[in-house]
Amino acid sequence: SMTFWNARSLHHSDLALRFSRQRFVQKLMSRFDLCAFVETHLPQRLALDYVHSSRHHVFASQGPHDQAAGGILLLLRRSITPTVDFDIIIPGRAVAVRFHTAAANVMIVAAHVQDTEDSSWKQTSAAISAHLEAFPDWSTFILADMNFDGDICDRWSEAKEAFCGRRSYRASL
C-alpha cells in the first residue's frame, strides 16, 4: 500500500504546525508500506531525525535552495525489500526508488511540478520519461502533484481529451 501527500512544509516555522505534521507523518508510516511526501521544505540533514524509524528506508532530496523550495521525502518499509536503489531525477522535485520483489521489478516515482508554466511541465515530464526509458521492463508507479488547473491537461494520460477544457482535474474525476 502507498500514500502521497503534499506536506506544504514539514519543517514549518510554526512549531505547533510542525509537530502536528510530524504526528501525521508517523500515522501514515504506520498504515502504509510506502509514503511519499512532496514540498517538505525539510533540510537534508534533518530528514533522518524527522522520521525516527528503523523500520523504513528513508530517502530525501531537498530543493535547489536548501529548504526554501521543494523537497521530497520517500519512506519504504524495510520488510518489503532489504535493498533499494534511490535516484534523484530533479533535485527536490522528482525522485525514484527501485527494488525487486518475487513477482516484479518495481519503480516508484514521486514528483512535484513547481508551477503550471509550460517550461516546468516540459522539464519534469522529459526528465521522468528519460528515467523511465532507462528501465523499460519495470513495473512503475508515478505519484505526483502536477498542479493542475483549468488550462492544464494531463499530459501523461492517453485520455488527454477527457481532461482538457475542464475547470479542474478534480472536476473531471
Side-chain angles (χ1 to χ4, degrees), residues 5-170:
W5 180 44
N6 182 329
R8 295 184 338 184
S9 185
L10 292 177
H11 195 64
H12 203 279
S13 58
D14 179 332
L15 289 179
L17 193 53
R18 183 185 307 179
F19 292 124
S20 172
R21 289 179 180 176
Q22 189 171 18
R23 283 190 303 274
F24 186 65
V25 167
Q26 296 295 325
K27 182 187 283 188
L28 292 175
M29 288 171 58
S30 70
R31 293 183 180 171
F32 296 94
D33 297 319
L34 179 126
C35 299
F37 307 105
V38 297
E39 289 297 307
T40 60
H41 300 278
L42 186 67
Q44 190 90 14
R45 61 183 164 28
L46 294 180
L48 289 172
D49 293 338
Y50 188 89
V51 175
H52 304 297
S53 176
S54 59
R55 295 176 301 181
H56 290 80
H57 296 285
V58 179
F59 305 99
S61 174
Q62 69 187 26
H65 307 291
D66 191 22
Q67 68 196 50
I72 296 180
L73 181 63
L74 215 139
L75 311 169
L76 178 65
R77 203 180 301 268
R78 289 184 186 275
S79 61
I80 299 295
T81 181
T83 58
V84 180
D85 293 313
F86 177 66
D87 305 310
I88 296 174
I89 301 170
I90 300 174
R93 294 293 176 194
V95 300
V97 292
R98 293 177 285 114
F99 55 93
H100 307 282
T101 68
N105 294 325
V106 178
M107 178 168 34
I108 299 170
V109 175
H112 178 259
V113 174
Q114 65 192 46
D115 56 46
T116 57
E117 290 181 18
D118 225 23
S119 61
S120 180
W121 276 94
K122 288 177 181 174
Q123 177 191 19
T124 304
S125 62
I128 292 173
S129 294
H131 193 76
L132 296 179
E133 288 172 9
F135 303 95
D137 297 327
W138 288 61
S139 298
T140 303
F141 300 88
I142 299 175
L143 307 173
D145 179 348
M146 304 306 286
N147 278 318
F148 287 111
D149 65 20
D151 298 325
I152 299 297
C153 300
D154 180 354
R155 296 179 182 177
W156 288 333
S157 173
E158 291 180 10
K160 180 178 176 179
E161 299 80 25
F163 299 110
C164 292
R166 303 288 177 98
R167 289 189 182 169
S168 71
Y169 178 71
R170 182 180 307 262

